[in-house]
C-alpha cells in the first residue's frame, strides 16, 4: 500500500472512492489503527479530515464501505507516518571554550523532543565529520556524545545533526 507522512498536529484529508454493482453505498467508515476516525460518511465524496495524535508513529488507515445489501469491503491500507521534527543542541563544550591541542574532548549534544525515536547524531568540527552515534549515553536518554582530539590550534565551529527514525534531520547552532 501507499505511505503518507504528516507532521505532528497536521490535519489531512483522506478520501475513498466506493462503488458496488447492483447496490448503493450506505456508508464509508475510516479506521486508523483499529479505531474509527470520525463518524461514518453516508454521502459522496467519502472523506474525513484527521489529525493523528501520536508523534513518531505509523498507523494503518483503511476505509470500510458498506452497501445497501449490508456487505462490507475494506480498502487496502495506507500507512500514515506521523513525523515529529527532532531538535539538537550542543551541550558541551560551551561556546567560546578553549582547550589544548592533542587533548581529548567529549562533545555532547541534547536531542528531543522524543529521544527514543532518534536514529543517529552526527558531530562536525568546521563541517568535517567527527563521528556518528546511534546510542545515547544512557539508555532511552537524550544525551549523545563523541570523543574528539583537536590536532591543530584553531577556532572550531562544532555542530551536531540529529536524524529521527523517519529520516527527518535538524542541525544545532554552532558553538
Amino acid at each position: 500500500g501507499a505511505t503518507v507522512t504528516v507532521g505532528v498536529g497536521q490535519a489531512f484529508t483522506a478520501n475513498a472512492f466506493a462503488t458496488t454493482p447492483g447496490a448503493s453505498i450506505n456508508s464509508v467508515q475510516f479506521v486508523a489503527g483499529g479505531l474509527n476516525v470520525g463518524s461514518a460518511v453516508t454521502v459522496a465524496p467519502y472523506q474525513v479530515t484527521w489529525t493523528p495524535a501520536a508523534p513518531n508513529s505509523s498507523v494503518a488507515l483503511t476505509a470500510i464501505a458498506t452497501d445497501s445489501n449490508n456487505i462490507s469491503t475494506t480498502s487496502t491500507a495506507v500507512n500514515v507516518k506521523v513525523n515529529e521534527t527532532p531538535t539538537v543542541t550542543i551541550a558541551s563544550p560551551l561556546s567560546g571554550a578553549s582547550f589544548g591541542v592533542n587533548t581529548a574532548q567529549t562533545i555532547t549534544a541534547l536531542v528531543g523532543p522524543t529521544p527514543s525515536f532518534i536514529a543517529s547524531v552526527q558531530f562536525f568540527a568546521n563541517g568535517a565529520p567527527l563521528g556518528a552515534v546511534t546510542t545515547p549515553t544512557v539508555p532511552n536518554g537524550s544525551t549523545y556524545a563523541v570523543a574528539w582530539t583537536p590536532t591543530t590550534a584553531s577556532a572550531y565551529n562544532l555542530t551536531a545533526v540529529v536524524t529521527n527514525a523517519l529520516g527527518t534531520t535538524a542541525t544545532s547552532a554552532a558553538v
Side-chain angles (χ1 to χ4, degrees):
T3 298
V4 175
T5 302
V6 298
V8 171
Q10 177 184 350
F12 76 97
T13 301
N15 297 289
F17 178 75
T19 61
T20 185
S24 59
I25 299 297
N26 281 350
S27 67
V28 174
Q29 177 66 61
F30 291 87
V31 178
L35 301 174
N36 289 347
V37 177
S39 299
V41 182
T42 57
V43 178
Y46 305 107
Q47 61 185 20
V48 66
T49 299
W50 178 49
T51 304
N56 302 319
S57 62
S58 184
V59 64
L61 179 65
T62 58
I64 302 171
T66 303
D67 69 17
S68 56
N69 294 321
N70 206 29
I71 297 172
S72 296
T73 303
T74 302
S75 70
T76 301
V78 173
N79 186 30
V80 179
K81 292 183 178 183
V82 185
N83 191 13
E84 185 172 40
T85 301
T87 60
V88 61
T89 305
I90 299 284
S92 174
L94 298 175
S95 184
S98 61
F99 29 85
V101 173
N102 296 321
T103 303
Q105 302 298 314
T106 299
I107 303 169
T108 60
L110 299 176
V111 301
T114 310
S116 63
F117 201 65
I118 301 301
S120 69
V121 178
Q122 296 176 295
F123 293 87
F124 298 88
N126 294 342
L130 301 177
V133 182
T134 58
T135 305
T137 56
V138 175
N140 296 318
S142 61
T143 303
Y144 288 72
V146 68
W148 173 56
T149 303
T151 57
T152 58
S154 181
Y156 291 94
N157 285 314
L158 303 175
T159 57
V161 175
V162 61
T163 304
N164 73 13
L166 293 177
T168 303
T169 63
T171 303
S172 71
V175 298

